[in-house]
Amino acid sequence: MASNVISWQKKKHASHVKTDYAYHHTKSAVKHHTERKSSSKSVSKEHAHATTAMAEPAYTIPAFRQRSADEIEEYQRVSTNVGKGLAVIQEEISRIRISTKAHVESLAMQREVKDMMYTKVISLDEIPKLPDFVVALRPHTVWEKTPVKLFCTVQGNPRPIVKWYKGGAPVDPLSAPGKYRIENKYGVHSLIISRCAVSDTAEYSAVATNPHGTTTSKATVTVKRPSGAGASCQLDIVPHLTEIHPSKLEVSLLDKFSVSFGVEGNSISLVCTMVVVPDLPNVPPHAEWYRDDNLLKQGKLAEMSVGGGAARLKLPHLAKDDEGLYTLRIFTKDGTAEHSAYLFVADSAPSAAGAPGAPMSVKAYDVNADYILVAWKPPNSVNEAAITGYFVDRCEAGSDHWVQCNDAPVKVCKYPVHDLKVGHSYHFRVRTVNSVGVSKPSRKSDKVTALDPAESERLQVIKIEGKYDIVIKDDDLEGYVTLPGEPTDVHASEIFKSYVVLSWKPPSPRGRAPLWYVVEKVCVAPPLAVHFPSIDSSAPHGITMLSCDGSSMTLAWKSPKHCGGSKIKAYYVDRRNVDNMIWKEVNLTGFKERTCTVEHLTEGSFYEFKIQAANMAGVGVASVPSAAMKCEAWTMEAPGPAYDLSFSEVRGHSLVLLWKAPVYTGASAVTGYMVEMAKKGSKEFVSLTHEAVNHRYLHVKSLEEGQSYVFKVRAVNGNGVGKASQLSEPVCAKALPGTKEIVAGVDEETGDIYLSLEACEISETSKFVWSKNYKPIGECPRVSVTGEGKHSRLTFTHPDKDDLGKYSVVLTDTDGVSASHTLTEDALNTMLELSHAIRHPVIPLKHGLNYEILEKGHVRFWLQAFKLSPSVSYRFIVNNKEVTSGEGHKISHDAATGIIQMTVDHFTRANEGTYTVQIHDGKAKAQTSLVLVGDVFKAALKEAEFQRKEHIRKQGPHFSEYVYFTVTEDCTLMLECKVANVKKETSFHWYKEDEELVPETPPNVMSGVCSIAIPLFSRKDHGIFKAVLSDDRGKDTSVLDITGQVFDDIINALAKVAGASASELVLQCTPEGIRLQCYMSYYTEEMKTVWKHKESKIASSEKMRIGGTAEMAWMQICDPSDKEKGHYTIEISDGEKTHTRTFDLSGQAYTDAYEEYLRLKAAAFAEKNRGRVVGGLPDVVTIMEEKSLSLTCTVWGEPTPEVTWFKNEQEVASTEHTKIMFDGGKFASLVINKVSPEDSGKYSINVRNKYGGEFVEITVSVYKHGEKIPEPKLGHPKTQSATPVPPKSPAPSHKALSPTPPKSHTPASMKSPTPASTPVPKSPTPTPKSHTPVPKSPTPTPKSHTPIPKSPTPSRGVKSPTPPRFMKSPTPPRK
């Protein structure tokens, strides 16, 4: 409670003051007169609220001015007589006013008490109220044959009655029994439609009615039929419609509304068409409409809708309040899409020609039980006559009866409305008055209810069983109190030099009668100490003239360097004409700003000015008088000087200079500013701006730390550069110790984006002032400023691109604590993402939804989060149907590992589709999906079926590893497999092309591994190999197709082993040429082998023959020449690595090889053309006597050989008994007529020409008639004297004469084993011709030094100079 108390003087006084019910705490101000004039005007709380809303400066109590002794003496002389008379009149008027007011209010209270004696206690619940939907209906989209529930909550007094409508027709539950059900439980009204049909798609409305009015809430129900479903579609489960936030949509604006024009009273619609992807009927884009950056809300004055590819705003009843810049902002996937255009609202036809327009922005402030303060803005029309005042009308809510509140027009834009009924709701409107007439009424204000805020504290609410509330006033509990109690907590809440503000709490009990308070004051010892700053402020300085029109001057000055310990609250200006030198006061009310306009001056005169600053301690000393200024009208075309130069963000090498625009703009508008700088004490100014800047601040860089500078600013317009400003105060380029910069961040709890500063110093009167682009932000809905101690935070309410810019903050009453920060688009987007993540936390997933195929063909769907709490909840949704744990599905989770999983036992074609998991863990959410359709699903289904079959297969004997191949170190191919679940009776068989293979070692299934070896692998071995495992439990088969890529892989594996074992190239000469050989563990022509000569690849030809055996690869140069000299290389590739061997066939190596080749070629020629027995002679002949014996053979040689026959090593001559014949140089024969036992013996034939010959023996046995045929006896061969004898060696057996060649694994095209590189050894016994090339041994065989005895005939079987046919050439050792 508060009261205004008249000033008191020397002795004790008492005065009765009536209580104002609008206040709970009581205040009283006791004020003292000073020696100079004073003002004790104050502004009530309600007037302050209204003034703030209208952006009008509040009126506060100015400080008393202190005067000098001379000034006091002159002032007292002038005002002594006048003052006495005024004091008497003022005291009398005050006494009459207080007495009259007290009497009138006493009568009103008595009337009110009398009325209350016949009425019951009024509670808040008994206050009449219109119906109002607390929870409105919301739209629903459901599937056919599923239920839907519409519900709402409505309040009002009396309790409203709610009726339901469908498409404007009442809903009758009896018309379709069981379909509709209407309920009303605990104030919640609901309409339930049990089984929705497509025909139920409509707009449903709930209409609430009571005696004070009707309110409607509407919502649309959309019933959908599943795609492909007929009228008999059955759905067992209500599908979960995955929530899609409107900000996830992609929106593109098409046709946009342009600048629009409307007329008061009419309607207008602003429409913007758009394309939405995806276009979901039940999820329209989120759109917001703004007027002058103020968010509009859905209501009767603004109807908004989004849908059908358009966003629409309808203003059904236009007024001047609707004029402004309209912005449509739609939240999209990529941010926001915006469009703005201005709406102009023209005045409607006036009630009379020249009548004014209607006021705007009518609002109610300071609502109390007996009065409400109404404020408004004047009309913006300027063509009518001057406004003389306003009429205020009121109307009770729910009626259309308007009552005029004031009899005479009020001149200010606010008016307290009295005579209101407690608990009644009202609307207000205002009309403008001028000399022509009255305007049309303004738009009515929002509904307000006349209630005393203090009285609500004296109400107690008692709830009974949660259904009924009983409201009791404290008056009912106190009874009829005759005398009130004493006030408590009396204290001085504010202490100033000139007055003290007292506060107290009302008494308890207080009684029902109105309260009056008596405030008393008495001097005591010691007196009440009044603490106030003891130091007055210093004097202002730097007085300068900003403009002059010939009768007035506009001045500006700089604030005092010392504020005296408290904030400067006002300035007082004195002036004097230089001619009379008498100082006169310019203002009785202090100026708040450091500018003022001094009027009523004489043109052409010179004036001086001095200024005093006032704070809580009083009025400070006056400034030094300014320079004489001539009152002469400014007519120059250039602008006047800028003023009030100040500094911010002073650092070691930079600062920000700020200034204010000139008052005098010249002949045209100011277009920019030029800034100059100089070091302190220097007159050499440097221009900091090459071109004029169009803003009133400049970031100055490249300063010397510790150096002081001064600045001046010139304004520029279209006519030139104006006068320079007054020099700024010197500023030192040095940052304050501990200076910190603005920090941009995101609140980790709320997600708010903010800018904050921690000041390095602060005082008790300091205040943080935030600016954007160096313009104070003030009360802006886009930001909010909070602070505590040295910290200040600027928080963005709805940050977007409009908030980009440079933000600065200044801490007042310090040594220049300030900082700035530029908010860029990239930084804002980063913080917006972080803010969204904090406000809409997402559960971080280590792995999204995935699947794996388990044994038995089960499919496991799983995901893993980084962290889960034990209270996590989740849902698996398959093809828009929720799946729960049950038959065929097992769902579980592990909070420790963060794994959530679902196992599908039988995975079939019906499981194709989309799988989604929705997770809720506290406030955090997450959703992950997996699409299993098409080829991906087919692959999963195939794998599941395979695993299912594998499980069945493994119930019996089976392959744990199917047939695979390996290659041993000796290049043997091994086919192996591993078996499991076998027993002794289990059989195992190998097959190739369905032909069983029997390995040398029978397979042992109990060992777990079965194998078969394939030596000397080549193309002949390619084909399909199969392993079969079986017993009484089942059968399993493994197949390896050794063709194509598998065959190539085997060859590469062989080449890898063989290439690693390859020897260096070895030189081998043959009769055909020079051969290079590479020995290795195994060679086959399928290996990727390349021969090169001087880096050029060699192709097999008649000149260069390429071949090999199982033990080596060779390349032969036929009939070599000098062209074939050089480096030779063999490259063996295994698919990964190339094994290389080289040989340098040049120089002496080539010479020796060539000579050996010529020698072997000659030997081969001799071997080819020597004499020899082609065939026809037996080894043993047994014949009876008297028979004729004919030994005939075919011989050959070039030239024709000579033939000689021998018997028992004696040459046989041709006789009648023994005839020797040689026909045609081809057929040789020995005929013995009538053989006798004397003809028995060892016969031999010697066939020879110049290249050599051959010696063949025949044993002849003659027996007599009747004797037993004797056993043939072979003769013993003897050494031929003419043949060179090799080292002794055992004589070959007879069986060795015609050896059977072993079975070879070398292809037919391969050459026979390699010939030796040694000289041809001489055989002790000649043999038939050998078809094998003559070998060359690695080392020559030494000749025997033993004398060879001569023999008349060589032994049988000896040939010269050819080695025996059964002998193999020795092979050179491998390296």
Short mmCIF file of all heavy atoms in Angstrom, two decimals, residues 1333-1369:
data_model
loop_
_atom_site.label_atom_id
_atom_site.label_comp_id
_atom_site.label_asym_id
_atom_site.label_seq_id
_atom_site.Cartn_x
_atom_site.Cartn_y
_atom_site.Cartn_z
N PRO A 1333 68.67 -88.90 -79.58
CA PRO A 1333 69.81 -88.05 -79.91
C PRO A 1333 70.98 -88.37 -79.01
O PRO A 1333 70.83 -88.74 -77.86
CB PRO A 1333 69.29 -86.63 -79.68
CG PRO A 1333 67.82 -86.76 -79.75
CD PRO A 1333 67.49 -88.14 -79.27
N VAL A 1334 72.15 -88.18 -79.57
CA VAL A 1334 73.37 -88.51 -78.82
C VAL A 1334 73.53 -87.54 -77.67
O VAL A 1334 73.56 -86.33 -77.86
CB VAL A 1334 74.59 -88.43 -79.75
CG1 VAL A 1334 75.86 -88.77 -78.98
CG2 VAL A 1334 74.39 -89.39 -80.91
N PRO A 1335 73.59 -88.04 -76.42
CA PRO A 1335 73.72 -87.14 -75.27
C PRO A 1335 75.13 -86.66 -75.08
O PRO A 1335 76.06 -87.22 -75.61
CB PRO A 1335 73.25 -88.00 -74.12
CG PRO A 1335 73.64 -89.38 -74.50
CD PRO A 1335 73.50 -89.46 -76.00
N LYS A 1336 75.19 -85.58 -74.29
CA LYS A 1336 76.49 -85.03 -73.92
C LYS A 1336 76.56 -84.96 -72.42
O LYS A 1336 75.77 -84.29 -71.79
CB LYS A 1336 76.68 -83.65 -74.53
CG LYS A 1336 78.03 -83.02 -74.18
CD LYS A 1336 78.15 -81.67 -74.84
CE LYS A 1336 79.50 -81.05 -74.52
NZ LYS A 1336 79.63 -79.71 -75.10
N SER A 1337 77.46 -85.69 -71.86
CA SER A 1337 77.56 -85.76 -70.41
C SER A 1337 78.13 -84.47 -69.86
O SER A 1337 78.85 -83.75 -70.54
CB SER A 1337 78.45 -86.95 -70.00
OG SER A 1337 77.93 -88.15 -70.49
N PRO A 1338 77.80 -84.15 -68.59
CA PRO A 1338 78.35 -82.94 -68.01
C PRO A 1338 79.86 -82.97 -67.89
O PRO A 1338 80.50 -81.95 -67.92
CB PRO A 1338 77.66 -82.86 -66.65
CG PRO A 1338 77.17 -84.22 -66.37
CD PRO A 1338 76.94 -84.88 -67.69
N THR A 1339 80.43 -84.15 -67.75
CA THR A 1339 81.90 -84.27 -67.67
C THR A 1339 82.36 -85.34 -68.63
O THR A 1339 81.73 -86.40 -68.75
CB THR A 1339 82.34 -84.63 -66.25
OG1 THR A 1339 81.68 -85.83 -65.86
CG2 THR A 1339 81.98 -83.52 -65.27
N PRO A 1340 83.45 -85.13 -69.35
CA PRO A 1340 83.92 -86.14 -70.31
C PRO A 1340 84.38 -87.39 -69.57
O PRO A 1340 84.91 -87.33 -68.47
CB PRO A 1340 85.08 -85.45 -71.01
CG PRO A 1340 85.00 -84.02 -70.62
CD PRO A 1340 84.26 -83.94 -69.34
N THR A 1341 84.16 -88.54 -70.25
CA THR A 1341 84.59 -89.83 -69.68
C THR A 1341 86.04 -90.08 -70.07
O THR A 1341 86.38 -90.03 -71.25
CB THR A 1341 83.71 -90.97 -70.21
OG1 THR A 1341 82.37 -90.65 -69.90
CG2 THR A 1341 84.09 -92.29 -69.60
N PRO A 1342 86.91 -90.33 -69.10
CA PRO A 1342 88.33 -90.53 -69.46
C PRO A 1342 88.51 -91.82 -70.25
O PRO A 1342 87.81 -92.79 -70.06
CB PRO A 1342 89.01 -90.59 -68.08
CG PRO A 1342 87.95 -91.01 -67.14
CD PRO A 1342 86.67 -90.46 -67.66
N LYS A 1343 89.47 -91.78 -71.21
CA LYS A 1343 89.76 -92.96 -72.03
C LYS A 1343 90.58 -93.97 -71.23
O LYS A 1343 91.37 -93.62 -70.38
CB LYS A 1343 90.54 -92.56 -73.28
CG LYS A 1343 89.73 -91.69 -74.22
CD LYS A 1343 90.53 -91.40 -75.47
CE LYS A 1343 89.71 -90.54 -76.43
NZ LYS A 1343 90.49 -90.24 -77.67
N SER A 1344 90.34 -95.24 -71.56
CA SER A 1344 91.06 -96.31 -70.86
C SER A 1344 92.47 -96.44 -71.42
O SER A 1344 92.70 -96.36 -72.62
CB SER A 1344 90.31 -97.65 -71.02
OG SER A 1344 91.06 -98.67 -70.42
N HIS A 1345 93.43 -96.66 -70.52
CA HIS A 1345 94.83 -96.84 -70.94
C HIS A 1345 95.22 -98.30 -70.99
O HIS A 1345 96.41 -98.63 -71.13
CB HIS A 1345 95.76 -96.09 -69.97
CG HIS A 1345 95.49 -94.61 -69.96
ND1 HIS A 1345 95.93 -93.76 -70.95
CD2 HIS A 1345 94.80 -93.84 -69.06
CE1 HIS A 1345 95.58 -92.52 -70.68
NE2 HIS A 1345 94.87 -92.56 -69.52
N THR A 1346 94.25 -99.21 -70.88
CA THR A 1346 94.56 -100.66 -70.94
C THR A 1346 94.62 -101.10 -72.39
O THR A 1346 93.76 -100.76 -73.18
CB THR A 1346 93.45 -101.46 -70.22
OG1 THR A 1346 93.33 -100.93 -68.90
CG2 THR A 1346 93.79 -102.92 -70.16
N PRO A 1347 95.69 -101.90 -72.76
CA PRO A 1347 95.78 -102.35 -74.16
C PRO A 1347 94.62 -103.26 -74.51
O PRO A 1347 94.16 -104.07 -73.71
CB PRO A 1347 97.10 -103.12 -74.20
CG PRO A 1347 97.83 -102.76 -72.94
CD PRO A 1347 96.85 -102.32 -71.96
N ILE A 1348 94.14 -103.14 -75.70
CA ILE A 1348 92.98 -103.91 -76.15
C ILE A 1348 93.50 -105.03 -77.05
O ILE A 1348 94.08 -104.77 -78.10
CB ILE A 1348 92.01 -103.02 -76.93
CG1 ILE A 1348 91.56 -101.86 -76.01
CG2 ILE A 1348 90.80 -103.84 -77.40
CD1 ILE A 1348 90.74 -100.85 -76.72
N PRO A 1349 93.20 -106.27 -76.65
CA PRO A 1349 93.64 -107.38 -77.51
C PRO A 1349 92.84 -107.43 -78.79
O PRO A 1349 91.65 -107.16 -78.79
CB PRO A 1349 93.40 -108.61 -76.65
CG PRO A 1349 92.35 -108.20 -75.67
CD PRO A 1349 92.53 -106.75 -75.45
N LYS A 1350 93.56 -107.74 -79.84
CA LYS A 1350 92.91 -107.83 -81.14
C LYS A 1350 92.19 -109.14 -81.27
O LYS A 1350 92.60 -110.17 -80.79
CB LYS A 1350 93.94 -107.69 -82.26
CG LYS A 1350 94.57 -106.32 -82.32
CD LYS A 1350 95.51 -106.23 -83.51
CE LYS A 1350 96.13 -104.85 -83.59
NZ LYS A 1350 97.05 -104.74 -84.76
N SER A 1351 91.17 -109.14 -82.04
CA SER A 1351 90.35 -110.34 -82.29
C SER A 1351 90.03 -110.38 -83.75
O SER A 1351 89.76 -109.35 -84.37
CB SER A 1351 89.08 -110.28 -81.46
OG SER A 1351 88.26 -111.37 -81.75
N PRO A 1352 90.06 -111.56 -84.37
CA PRO A 1352 89.75 -111.63 -85.79
C PRO A 1352 88.37 -111.17 -86.10
O PRO A 1352 88.12 -110.61 -87.16
CB PRO A 1352 89.95 -113.10 -86.14
CG PRO A 1352 89.88 -113.83 -84.84
CD PRO A 1352 90.38 -112.91 -83.80
N THR A 1353 87.44 -111.42 -85.24
CA THR A 1353 86.04 -110.97 -85.47
C THR A 1353 85.54 -110.31 -84.22
O THR A 1353 85.78 -110.76 -83.10
CB THR A 1353 85.12 -112.16 -85.83
OG1 THR A 1353 85.22 -113.11 -84.78
CG2 THR A 1353 85.50 -112.75 -87.15
N PRO A 1354 84.84 -109.25 -84.41
CA PRO A 1354 84.27 -108.58 -83.21
C PRO A 1354 83.16 -109.40 -82.61
O PRO A 1354 82.55 -110.23 -83.27
CB PRO A 1354 83.75 -107.25 -83.77
CG PRO A 1354 83.46 -107.51 -85.18
CD PRO A 1354 84.46 -108.55 -85.64
N SER A 1355 82.90 -109.15 -81.31
CA SER A 1355 81.82 -109.86 -80.61
C SER A 1355 80.48 -109.46 -81.21
O SER A 1355 80.29 -108.37 -81.75
CB SER A 1355 81.84 -109.51 -79.13
OG SER A 1355 83.08 -109.85 -78.56
N ARG A 1356 79.51 -110.37 -81.05
CA ARG A 1356 78.16 -110.12 -81.56
C ARG A 1356 77.54 -108.96 -80.81
O ARG A 1356 77.64 -108.87 -79.60
CB ARG A 1356 77.32 -111.39 -81.42
CG ARG A 1356 75.86 -111.19 -81.85
CD ARG A 1356 75.09 -112.49 -81.70
NE ARG A 1356 73.70 -112.25 -82.00
CZ ARG A 1356 73.18 -112.28 -83.23
NH1 ARG A 1356 73.99 -112.53 -84.26
NH2 ARG A 1356 71.91 -112.07 -83.43
N GLY A 1357 76.86 -108.22 -81.55
CA GLY A 1357 76.13 -107.10 -80.94
C GLY A 1357 76.94 -105.84 -80.82
O GLY A 1357 76.45 -104.83 -80.36
N VAL A 1358 78.17 -105.84 -81.27
CA VAL A 1358 78.97 -104.62 -81.13
C VAL A 1358 78.76 -103.74 -82.34
O VAL A 1358 78.70 -104.22 -83.46
CB VAL A 1358 80.45 -104.99 -80.97
CG1 VAL A 1358 81.30 -103.72 -80.93
CG2 VAL A 1358 80.64 -105.79 -79.69
N LYS A 1359 78.63 -102.45 -82.11
CA LYS A 1359 78.53 -101.50 -83.21
C LYS A 1359 79.51 -100.38 -82.97
O LYS A 1359 79.96 -100.14 -81.85
CB LYS A 1359 77.12 -100.95 -83.36
CG LYS A 1359 76.66 -100.09 -82.19
CD LYS A 1359 75.27 -99.57 -82.44
CE LYS A 1359 74.86 -98.72 -81.25
NZ LYS A 1359 73.52 -98.14 -81.50
N SER A 1360 79.79 -99.74 -84.00
CA SER A 1360 80.77 -98.65 -83.89
C SER A 1360 80.32 -97.50 -84.76
O SER A 1360 79.93 -97.72 -85.91
CB SER A 1360 82.17 -99.14 -84.34
OG SER A 1360 83.10 -98.09 -84.31
N PRO A 1361 80.35 -96.29 -84.35
CA PRO A 1361 80.75 -95.80 -83.02
C PRO A 1361 79.54 -95.46 -82.15
O PRO A 1361 79.56 -94.48 -81.43
CB PRO A 1361 81.55 -94.57 -83.37
CG PRO A 1361 80.81 -94.01 -84.54
CD PRO A 1361 80.21 -95.18 -85.27
N THR A 1362 78.42 -96.13 -82.32
CA THR A 1362 77.14 -95.77 -81.67
C THR A 1362 77.03 -96.46 -80.33
O THR A 1362 77.34 -97.64 -80.22
CB THR A 1362 75.97 -96.18 -82.57
OG1 THR A 1362 76.21 -95.64 -83.85
CG2 THR A 1362 74.66 -95.66 -82.02
N PRO A 1363 76.55 -95.74 -79.27
CA PRO A 1363 76.35 -96.38 -77.96
C PRO A 1363 75.19 -97.35 -78.03
O PRO A 1363 74.37 -97.30 -78.93
CB PRO A 1363 76.06 -95.19 -77.03
CG PRO A 1363 75.52 -94.14 -77.92
CD PRO A 1363 76.21 -94.32 -79.24
N PRO A 1364 75.09 -98.26 -77.06
CA PRO A 1364 73.98 -99.23 -77.08
C PRO A 1364 72.65 -98.51 -77.03
O PRO A 1364 72.52 -97.45 -76.43
CB PRO A 1364 74.21 -100.06 -75.83
CG PRO A 1364 75.61 -99.78 -75.39
CD PRO A 1364 75.99 -98.45 -75.93
N ARG A 1365 71.64 -99.15 -77.65
CA ARG A 1365 70.33 -98.50 -77.72
C ARG A 1365 69.63 -98.45 -76.37
O ARG A 1365 68.73 -97.67 -76.17
CB ARG A 1365 69.45 -99.21 -78.74
CG ARG A 1365 69.02 -100.63 -78.33
CD ARG A 1365 68.14 -101.27 -79.35
NE ARG A 1365 68.92 -101.59 -80.54
CZ ARG A 1365 68.40 -102.21 -81.60
NH1 ARG A 1365 67.13 -102.55 -81.60
NH2 ARG A 1365 69.14 -102.49 -82.65
N PHE A 1366 70.06 -99.35 -75.51
CA PHE A 1366 69.36 -99.37 -74.24
C PHE A 1366 69.93 -98.36 -73.24
O PHE A 1366 69.38 -98.15 -72.19
CB PHE A 1366 69.44 -100.78 -73.61
CG PHE A 1366 70.84 -101.23 -73.33
CD1 PHE A 1366 71.51 -100.89 -72.16
CD2 PHE A 1366 71.51 -101.98 -74.27
CE1 PHE A 1366 72.79 -101.31 -71.93
CE2 PHE A 1366 72.81 -102.41 -74.02
CZ PHE A 1366 73.46 -102.08 -72.86
N MET A 1367 71.02 -97.72 -73.53
CA MET A 1367 71.66 -96.80 -72.59
C MET A 1367 71.01 -95.40 -72.65
O MET A 1367 70.68 -94.92 -73.72
CB MET A 1367 73.16 -96.69 -72.88
CG MET A 1367 73.95 -97.96 -72.58
SD MET A 1367 75.71 -97.69 -72.80
CE MET A 1367 76.01 -96.48 -71.51
N LYS A 1368 70.87 -94.80 -71.50
CA LYS A 1368 70.36 -93.42 -71.41
C LYS A 1368 71.51 -92.48 -71.13
O LYS A 1368 72.45 -92.81 -70.41
CB LYS A 1368 69.33 -93.28 -70.29
CG LYS A 1368 68.02 -93.95 -70.56
CD LYS A 1368 67.03 -93.65 -69.47
CE LYS A 1368 65.70 -94.30 -69.72
NZ LYS A 1368 64.73 -93.99 -68.65
N SER A 1369 71.40 -91.35 -71.73
CA SER A 1369 72.44 -90.35 -71.47
C SER A 1369 72.33 -89.86 -70.05
O SER A 1369 71.23 -89.62 -69.53
CB SER A 1369 72.29 -89.17 -72.44
OG SER A 1369 72.40 -89.62 -73.76
#
